[in-house]
Amino acid sequence: MFRSRSKEEQSAKATAKVTADEPQPRHPEAPKGRPTPKRSEASSQRRSLASTSAAGKGKDASKRAREARRADLARQREALANGDERFLPVRDKGPVRRFVRDFVDARYSFAEFFLPLAVVILVLSMINRGVFQQYVLLLWMVVILLIVVNSVFTAVSLRKALKQRFPGENTRGAIPYALMRTLQMRRLRLPKPKVKRGEKP
């Protein structure tokens, strides 16, 4: 009789222990063991997490964009030196712009000596002698007049050549592009000249 009672007590204790070890479902009204965050706190936590992840992604994207820009600029500089049409800047691309460059580079132009002449005239203007200053001013006016005449002649002849070479095609901006190139010394022009003096483009 005592044995059976002790056995019952042992089995009851074992059952209670197993029940205690198993996770018990929480009653809806029972306390959770931690305070419930306010709605404003929860939303601020979510925003901070989202902003942190967005900032990380934005930094990676901007870094990739900077690296891509550097690579593009390096390719453009190399293309300006060797004339590779694939990587030239937009203003220098296309058969029309290539023809304009060759047209200008194949001719002698008074305008290409503008920079060295301007330096010489600037140095001469520092000589402070009454009559000499008038000669310097006259020389400056002659240089400007010759550049204007040269530019007009280049524009007329280039427009005629473009109509013959590219009839019906859009050649907008070709004349200003050519005149800007004539103002540069031949060895400083970019893209580099591809034709010799006197050679037909």
Side-chain angles (χ1 to χ4, degrees), residues 12-190:
K13 288 180 180 179
T15 305
K17 185 178 181 181
V18 171
T19 307
D21 292 339
E22 292 178 356
Q24 299 294 325
R26 189 178 66 81
H27 191 272
E29 297 181 0
K32 293 185 290 186
R34 57 183 174 81
T36 302
K38 294 181 180 180
R39 181 177 295 178
S40 60
E41 294 176 356
S43 62
S44 65
Q45 290 176 358
R46 285 196 297 270
R47 281 198 298 270
S48 64
L49 290 173
S51 64
T52 303
S53 61
K57 291 179 181 178
K59 288 181 180 178
D60 292 339
S62 61
K63 184 178 179 181
R64 287 194 298 269
R66 284 196 301 270
E67 291 175 354
R69 280 197 297 271
R70 286 196 203 101
D72 289 341
L73 289 174
R75 282 196 296 265
Q76 284 185 6
R77 284 193 295 270
E78 188 177 352
L80 287 170
N82 59 27
D84 190 349
E85 284 278 343
R86 294 174 299 168
F87 304 115
L88 284 176
V90 177
R91 65 183 177 83
D92 298 309
K93 278 186 176 180
V96 174
R97 296 303 169 97
R98 185 170 60 248
F99 175 79
V100 170
R101 290 195 300 271
D102 293 343
F103 184 90
V104 171
D105 297 336
R107 296 164 175 248
Y108 283 99
S109 173
F110 184 82
E112 67 184 278
F113 303 108
F114 170 72
L115 288 178
L117 285 172
V119 173
V120 171
I121 293 173
L122 180 63
V123 172
L124 292 175
S125 65
M126 295 178 182
I127 302 174
N128 193 10
R129 292 180 182 176
V131 181
F132 187 77
Q133 289 291 324
Q134 296 179 3
Y135 289 123
V136 172
L137 181 60
L138 180 61
L139 177 61
W140 181 246
M141 297 298 293
V142 169
V143 168
I144 296 297
L145 180 62
L146 289 175
I147 289 174
V148 170
V149 172
N150 181 88
S151 299
V152 171
F153 177 77
T154 301
V156 171
S157 56
L158 178 59
R159 185 176 284 110
K160 183 178 179 181
L162 286 171
K163 286 182 180 179
Q164 292 177 352
R165 181 65 67 92
F166 303 99
E169 292 191 29
N170 183 16
T171 58
R172 184 178 179 181
I175 304 299
Y177 180 76
L179 296 180
M180 288 299 297
R181 193 169 178 86
T182 60
L183 289 171
Q184 301 168 355
M185 297 177 67
R186 182 182 170 87
R187 67 178 62 184
L188 300 179
R189 291 171 182 171
L190 291 175

Side-chain angles (χ1 to χ4, degrees), residues 4-21:
S4 62
R5 183 176 294 176
S6 62
K7 286 180 180 179
E8 289 176 359
E9 289 177 355
Q10 290 176 358
S11 63
K13 288 180 180 179
T15 305
K17 185 178 181 181
V18 171
T19 307
D21 292 339

